[in-house]
């Protein structure tokens, strides 16, 4: 895992994380986020004991309709679960509207393409 990936997962800048790593900063308020990003117990970061024995086993991947769901999708799902009504319903309506608009646009483009193709066929006869 890169410094940038750890920083993103822990919700901190790479500069701060580098300073923390090199004892140029005390980050006691952010240790929980860092421990979660590294999948270790926060006690190991505080005590400096070897991490190998404390690494949490990664969660089993979720599967939806036969597809593995990981990363940003899981993060989105966690944030979605924090939302309350009516926010969820409003977001669903917006997403459904956007999807419907995209479907209409593709159908319109396909229809125009089909008309142009028929016109070219008629002219070539």
């Amino acid at each position: 895992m890169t410094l940038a990936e750890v920083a993103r997962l822990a919700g901190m800048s790479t500069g701060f994380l580098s300073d923390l790593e090199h004892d140029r900063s005390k980050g006691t308020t952010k240790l929980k986020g860092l421990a979660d990003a590294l999948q270790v117990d926060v006690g190991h970061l505080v005590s400096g004991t070897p991490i190998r024995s404390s690494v949490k086993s990664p969660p089993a991947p979720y599967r939806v309709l036969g597809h593995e769901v990981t990363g940003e999708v899981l993060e989105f799902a966690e944030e979605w679960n924090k939302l309350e009504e009516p926010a969820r319903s409003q977001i669903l309506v917006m997403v459904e509207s956007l999807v419907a608009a995209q479907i209409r646009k593709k159908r319109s483009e396909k229809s125009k393409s089909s008309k142009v193709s028929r016109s070219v066929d008629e002219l070539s006869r």
Side-chain angles (χ1 to χ4, degrees):
M1 187 178 299
T2 67
L3 182 71
E5 290 170 326
V6 172
R8 182 184 62 79
L9 290 171
M12 57 185 69
S13 71
T14 55
F16 176 81
L17 188 56
S18 179
D19 288 347
L20 188 62
E21 180 181 26
H22 294 95
D23 288 330
R24 292 186 297 255
S25 178
K26 302 292 181 212
T28 55
T29 60
K30 296 192 177 190
L31 283 180
K32 175 71 173 113
L34 181 57
D36 289 346
L38 294 172
Q39 297 184 347
V40 299
D41 295 323
V42 72
H44 291 281
L45 295 179
V46 174
S47 69
T49 57
I51 292 176
R52 290 175 203 226
S53 62
S54 70
V55 174
K56 300 174 186 174
S57 59
Y62 293 94
R63 297 192 73 75
V64 176
L65 300 174
H67 299 281
E68 188 173 308
V69 179
T70 58
E72 290 179 349
V73 175
L74 292 175
E75 290 174 19
F76 174 80
E78 287 175 6
E79 292 302 315
W80 179 261
N81 287 332
K82 294 177 187 175
L83 292 175
E84 296 180 8
E85 290 297 335
R88 280 188 189 196
S89 294
Q90 291 170 345
I91 292 170
L92 284 175
V93 168
M94 287 189 313
V95 169
E96 289 170 349
S97 297
L98 290 169
V99 169
Q102 287 295 318
I103 290 170
R104 285 192 301 273
K105 181 180 176 185
K106 286 190 184 273
R107 286 181 180 163
S108 174
E109 290 170 355
K110 187 176 180 180
S111 175
K112 288 178 186 175
S113 174
S114 178
K115 287 177 184 176
V116 168
S117 179
R118 281 192 303 250
S119 296
V120 169
D121 287 345
E122 289 174 3
L123 289 174
S124 64
R125 290 183 194 165

